[in-house]
């Protein structure tokens, strides 16, 4: 049975960090979490860290709570700020994590950037790999999803009790009940995500000349099942088409508008992470090119090595990191299309010494880790080796150095 991701306001880290870009860091304060939960959270933060560029740490309060009485799997609140230093657009609210990344300083904001609440009563899979059993929910995936909301996948589109739709006029009571930071008066001003929402005809929903805020016309749009995200990078990533948003006929605050449409982006797709439902056994740990492009349109700088890899026609293989290495090293690559792959280590004579991966892989960013400390039992001695990624279309290879253990 699928469960709705509820959040309020709010890839696999997969290509090595560019030497010219300071990738993001996270500072997490845990409340009620056990070591397994903390490990899964750290993995999700590591994934996003290698994707985003920011000189300022992203601060998260992570709450591991019994939320069965509230009916949510995960809930995320994102702190916001407007008219900050270097703000691209005035009178528009930005997540504080994004605002600080754009400004290049902490903007003297002392509160956390993101509050994340997860229901501890679910049957969770705590592993950091993709081997989630069919009857469990993948914790790393859910945390990745919730962090995505905190980074910018949120809106305050809402309906009041009489069904009038608005942006930033009706704030759900749960926001003030759960938030660890003060909720500002949003003054009916949009969030950065809201600027990109359009209907089928290409009309911008925040254009008050077309849609009075608040109005019945907005509620009609919110529940018309025909809303799209129109950003230059996003359209380019989606084959010159606007990706469809989740806008069902029954409006659900914290779910409607702020997700990609499930039917357009199923869990098996590379952009299935940011859809509104999470089923047990789902293991999509990749934000995907459309998701990353949406964040880029909102103002995030994406790690240049990831951006360049996503522009390749078939697939790209990054340098392993670290290199040289003595314990573990990470191989990151990007597949344009789902494909069987083989990832092999060769010695300099061309002899195959280890197959690290041989399986069918989904499109998107992927990662393989080699633990060099286990190589002693496999009689892999320190030295220079070749690693090769091969698909049914072509192969790429690079050198690595395994030092003494």
């Amino acid at each position: 049975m699928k469960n709705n991701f509820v959040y309020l306001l709010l890839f696999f880290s997969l290509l090595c960090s560019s030497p010219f870009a300071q990738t993001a860091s996270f500072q997490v304060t845990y409340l009620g979490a056990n070591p397994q939960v903390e490990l899964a959270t750290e993995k999700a933060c590591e994934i996003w860290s290698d994707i985003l560029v920011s000189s300022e740490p992203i601060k998260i309060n992570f709450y591991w709570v019994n939320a069965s009485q509230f009916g949510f799997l995960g809930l995320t609140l994102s702190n916001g700020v407007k008219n900050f230093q270097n703000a691209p657009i005035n009178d528009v609210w930005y997540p504080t994590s994004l605002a600080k990344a754009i400004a290049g300083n902490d903007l003297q904001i002392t509160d956390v950037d993101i509050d994340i609440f997860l229901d501890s009563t679910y049957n969770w899979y705590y592993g950091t790999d993709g081997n989630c059993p069919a009857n469990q929910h993948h914790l790393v995936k859910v945390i990745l999803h919730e962090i995505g909301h905190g980074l910018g996948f949120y809106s305050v589109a809402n309906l009041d009790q009489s069904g009038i739709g608005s942006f930033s006029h009706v704030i759900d009571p749960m926001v003030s009940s759960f938030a660890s930071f003060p909720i500002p008066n949003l003054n009916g001003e949009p969030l950065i995500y809201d600027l990109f929402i359009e209907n089928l005809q290409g009309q911008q929903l925040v254009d008050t000349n077309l849609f009075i805020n608040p109005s019945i016309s907005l509620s009609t749009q919110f529940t018309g099942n025909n809303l799209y995200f129109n950003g230059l990078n996003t359209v380019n990533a989606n084959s010159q088409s606007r990706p469809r948003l989740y806008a069902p006929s029954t409006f659900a605050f914290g779910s409607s508008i702020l997700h990609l449409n499930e039917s357009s982006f199923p869990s098996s797709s590379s952009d299935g992470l940011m859809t509104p439902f999470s089923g047990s056994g789902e293991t999509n740990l990749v934000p995907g090119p459309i998701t990353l492009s949406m964040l880029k349109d909102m103002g995030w700088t994406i790690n240049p090595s990831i951006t360049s890899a996503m522009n390749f026609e078939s697939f790209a293989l990054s340098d392993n990191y670290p290199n040289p290495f003595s314990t573990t090293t990470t191989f990151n690559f990007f597949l344009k299309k789902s494909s069987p792959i083989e990832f092999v280590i060769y010695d300099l004579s061309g002899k195959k010494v280890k197959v690290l991966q041989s399986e069918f892989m989904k499109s998107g960013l992927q990662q393989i880790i080699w633990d060099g400390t286990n190589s002693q039992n496999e009689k892999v001695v320190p030295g220079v080796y070749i690693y090769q990624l091969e698909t049914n279309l072509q192969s790429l290879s690079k050198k690595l150095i395994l030092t003494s253990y």
Side-chain angles (χ1 to χ4, degrees), residues 74-93:
L75 178 154
T76 296
L77 310 172
S78 179
N79 200 354
V81 64
K82 66 175 181 177
N83 299 335
F84 52 90
Q85 177 187 348
N86 299 328
I89 308 172
N90 289 329
D91 300 326
V92 171
W93 293 92

Side-chain angles (χ1 to χ4, degrees), residues 27-143:
Q27 294 179 1
V28 183
T29 300
Y30 295 98
L31 295 99
N34 59 45
Q36 286 180 301
V37 174
E38 293 185 12
L39 184 63
T41 306
E42 290 167 6
K43 181 59 180 179
C45 289
E46 175 189 329
I47 290 168
W48 278 115
S49 291
D50 283 351
I51 295 170
L52 305 172
V53 174
S54 178
S55 62
E56 299 301 314
I58 299 170
K59 299 177 182 179
I60 296 177
N61 279 347
F62 185 95
Y63 300 85
W64 186 246
V65 297
N66 182 339
S68 55
Q69 61 179 312
F70 301 105
F72 63 74
L73 175 65
L75 178 154
T76 296
L77 310 172
S78 179
N79 200 354
V81 64
K82 66 175 181 177
N83 299 335
F84 52 90
Q85 177 187 348
N86 299 328
I89 308 172
N90 289 329
D91 300 326
V92 171
W93 293 92
Y94 286 74
T96 54
S97 57
L98 173 54
K100 291 188 289 187
I102 293 172
N105 62 73
D106 65 6
L107 297 173
Q108 298 184 326
I109 295 172
T110 57
D111 294 308
V112 298
D113 301 306
I114 304 170
D115 286 332
I116 294 177
F117 298 80
L118 289 187
D119 187 355
S120 61
T121 66
Y122 273 80
N123 185 14
W124 292 104
Y125 175 68
Y126 297 99
T128 58
D129 54 27
N131 300 317
C132 180
N135 65 334
Q136 291 184 307
H137 285 78
H138 201 305
L139 184 56
V140 174
K141 179 207 168 183
V142 174
I143 298 172

Side-chain angles (χ1 to χ4, degrees), residues 105-275:
N105 62 73
D106 65 6
L107 297 173
Q108 298 184 326
I109 295 172
T110 57
D111 294 308
V112 298
D113 301 306
I114 304 170
D115 286 332
I116 294 177
F117 298 80
L118 289 187
D119 187 355
S120 61
T121 66
Y122 273 80
N123 185 14
W124 292 104
Y125 175 68
Y126 297 99
T128 58
D129 54 27
N131 300 317
C132 180
N135 65 334
Q136 291 184 307
H137 285 78
H138 201 305
L139 184 56
V140 174
K141 179 207 168 183
V142 174
I143 298 172
L144 280 170
H145 176 102
E146 296 300 330
I147 292 176
H149 286 311
L151 296 171
F153 268 76
Y154 70 87
S155 166
V156 282
N158 202 0
L159 306 184
D160 66 14
Q161 293 182 345
S162 62
I164 303 296
S166 70
F167 287 107
S168 300
H169 278 289
V170 179
I171 305 301
D172 193 283
M174 290 184 71
V175 175
S176 54
S177 298
F178 282 87
S180 67
F181 45 82
I183 304 300
N185 183 352
L186 300 179
N187 296 317
E189 294 165 333
L191 307 184
I192 182 60
Y193 180 97
D194 298 327
L195 299 188
F196 298 92
I197 302 173
E198 292 183 350
N199 60 17
L200 182 63
Q201 293 74 31
Q203 296 172 316
Q204 191 178 24
L205 265 60
V206 297
D207 185 345
T208 55
N209 292 318
L210 297 173
F211 306 102
I212 297 172
N213 183 27
S215 66
I216 283 290
S217 61
L218 275 178
S219 60
T220 301
Q221 295 295 322
F222 292 166
T223 58
N225 205 25
N226 264 315
L227 294 184
Y228 303 84
F229 191 96
N230 188 7
L232 177 62
N233 294 292
T234 303
V235 170
N236 287 339
N238 195 40
S239 302
Q240 303 305 308
S241 176
R242 299 171 301 167
R244 192 175 184 180
L245 300 176
Y246 180 66
S249 57
T250 300
F251 186 87
F253 179 72
S255 182
S256 295
I257 315 296
L258 298 179
H259 292 94
L260 291 170
N261 188 282
E262 188 92 16
S263 60
S264 301
F265 302 97
S267 61
S268 58
S269 72
S270 61
D271 278 285
L273 180 67
M274 296 308 297
T275 56

Side-chain angles (χ1 to χ4, degrees), residues 1-6 71-73 122 137 275-280:
M1 179 178 179
K2 294 198 169 187
N3 298 277
N4 201 310
F5 275 118
V6 179
F72 63 74
L73 175 65
Y122 273 80
H137 285 78
T275 56
F277 302 100
S278 178
S280 58

